[in-house]
Amino acid sequence: FDDNDFEFQEIEKKMHVSYHSAKALPMNEEDGIKVKDNSSESWDKFYKTNKSNFFKERNYLDREFPELSKEITNGKKTVALEIGCGTGSTALPLLTANPDLSFICCDLSQTAIDILKAHKWYNVERCQAFVHDISGQSLPSQIGNDSIDIVTLIFVLSAIPPERMAIALQEIHRVSVMSCN
């Protein structure tokens, strides 16, 4: 990647402020339960406010993870599942960079999915996007066992409550092609 992909100093400042603000105002248990139970509404509100402007497109992923590049897939159709796809900042650049790649995308937020589907690079023949909560539901039966070559979960696992983590990981394992390459 190049230095233009990230704004490290700006992100570091925001993280510092966020950390110290959160530390100064701890959440009580009742509010914590409310946040867990209303997470899709919170993400909808976030995306209604920020649209697709908050997360930068991750144009570096095919370089950092060669498994996602067209040089590696080399004509072999490869299916990726992106959990927590948001507005497509991972899937869309990779679809553009690799014609052999297709994505199944899911996110908690209907607003994020609507923004993703409205993007000029979204192609229903190579990308299927839908609302889904991996921490509380099985993936749709249309996603068969051992049918997914690559799974991306950028910033997702840290957002899943520990007591729901097993459900999410079991579903990911169920649909993933288990390879010993």
Side-chain angles (χ1 to χ4, degrees):
F1 71 93
D2 62 38
D3 292 334
N4 295 329
D5 287 338
F6 293 93
E7 298 162 355
F8 288 112
Q9 292 174 335
E10 185 178 324
I11 291 170
E12 186 177 38
K13 286 179 195 173
K14 287 179 182 178
M15 288 175 57
H16 182 77
V17 169
S18 178
Y19 172 78
H20 288 287
S21 297
K23 193 174 177 182
L25 300 168
M27 186 179 292
N28 65 44
E29 188 174 340
E30 185 179 312
D31 287 341
I33 292 168
K34 206 181 298 183
V35 166
K36 286 181 195 176
D37 292 342
N38 298 319
S39 56
S40 63
E41 289 92 3
S42 298
W43 281 109
D44 272 336
K45 184 178 178 181
F46 172 84
Y47 285 112
K48 284 177 183 173
T49 302
N50 294 293
K51 309 280 185 252
S52 61
N53 302 320
F54 190 81
F55 297 107
K56 292 179 90 172
E57 289 178 354
R58 297 180 178 105
N59 294 313
Y60 57 89
L61 287 175
D62 62 328
R63 294 185 304 271
E64 293 298 315
F65 300 98
E67 301 84 0
L68 301 171
S69 72
K70 65 183 173 189
E71 289 77 21
I72 300 294
T73 56
N74 197 23
K76 176 189 173 279
K77 296 299 179 194
T78 303
V79 180
L81 170 63
E82 184 177 13
I83 299 170
C85 67
T87 60
S89 60
T90 295
L92 294 173
L94 288 170
L95 287 168
T96 302
N98 186 347
D100 300 324
L101 196 57
S102 64
F103 266 89
I104 299 171
C105 299
C106 62
D107 196 274
L108 279 173
S109 170
Q110 180 66 57
T111 303
I113 295 296
D114 292 343
I115 293 169
L116 169 58
K117 287 182 171 182
H119 195 284
K120 64 182 177 186
W121 293 347
Y122 183 81
N123 176 346
V124 71
E125 293 175 13
R126 293 185 55 215
C127 188
Q128 297 293 314
F130 57 94
V131 175
H132 184 74
D133 179 1
I134 190 70
S135 74
Q137 305 167 318
S138 296
L139 286 162
S141 59
Q142 296 89 334
I143 304 174
N145 294 351
D146 304 318
S147 63
I148 302 296
D149 300 301
I150 297 168
V151 178
T152 63
L153 302 114
I154 298 176
F155 302 121
V156 171
L157 293 177
S158 62
I160 295 175
E163 66 273 9
R164 296 182 187 171
M165 186 69 70
I167 295 167
L169 294 176
Q170 287 169 355
E171 277 303 289
I172 293 163
H173 182 268
R174 179 184 67 78
V175 300
S176 299
V177 172
M178 302 317 278
S179 173
C180 296
N181 293 341

